[in-house]
Amino acid sequence: MTISKILVVDDSPTERLALTEVLAKHGYRVVTAESGDDAIAKSQLEQPDLILMDVVMPGMNGYQATRTISRNEATRRIPIIMCTSKGLETDKIWGMRQGAYDYLVKPVDHADLLARIKALG
């Protein structure tokens, strides 16, 4: 599987911009969403190769959005890496149970993130 288009989901404009810049610099096409509902809609519309999902967002949180995306026939094959400030082991376990492929705690180390994306492709 080649990763070329990545959906970045985060309610923080600063986080979205930082991840977009780093990913674009490394040749990835980036689509952004600022909520769980927006993430579900864009995952269906854009069919990205990967989703980077925040957890703490207003309205539908990242766990709920991950569960919905990973259980929808049209989007269930899209790997999701959770990128969140929620760093407890129970948070990680819960994220993986919702369908996440991987889990990173903020502040996300960009080199680590890029290595994990490369490993997926």
Side-chain angles (χ1 to χ4, degrees):
M1 162 188 201
T2 302
I3 306 288
S4 60
K5 187 194 301 186
I6 300 174
L7 173 58
V8 173
V9 184
D10 201 305
D11 60 320
S12 162
T14 307
E15 283 291 329
R16 283 196 313 272
L17 179 62
L19 285 172
T20 297
E21 285 180 347
V22 126
L23 295 169
K25 188 171 109 181
H26 286 86
Y28 298 105
R29 287 183 298 138
V30 180
V31 179
T32 61
E34 52 191 63
S35 69
D37 290 314
D38 196 16
I40 291 166
K42 288 200 174 162
S43 68
Q44 293 174 356
L45 178 70
E46 297 283 346
Q47 288 292 307
D49 303 308
L50 173 66
I51 299 171
L52 302 180
M53 179 78 71
D54 185 21
V55 170
V56 182
M57 296 181 285
M60 179 183 288
N61 69 39
Y63 293 136
Q64 294 165 315
T66 295
R67 183 171 53 246
T68 301
I69 292 166
S70 68
R71 294 182 182 166
N72 181 316
E73 185 59 36
T75 54
R76 67 185 178 97
R77 289 177 192 84
I78 304 169
I80 299 171
I81 298 177
M82 306 209 85
C83 299
T84 178
S85 57
K86 295 182 72 63
L88 296 176
E89 190 61 25
T90 53
D91 296 323
K92 180 178 181 180
I93 291 166
W94 186 246
M96 302 305 270
R97 283 190 179 159
Q98 303 317 299
Y101 175 83
D102 206 345
Y103 197 99
L104 296 172
V105 178
K106 290 179 184 176
V108 172
D109 178 276
H110 291 162
D112 184 28
L113 174 62
L114 291 166
R116 290 177 193 225
I117 293 170
K118 189 174 182 182
L120 269 172

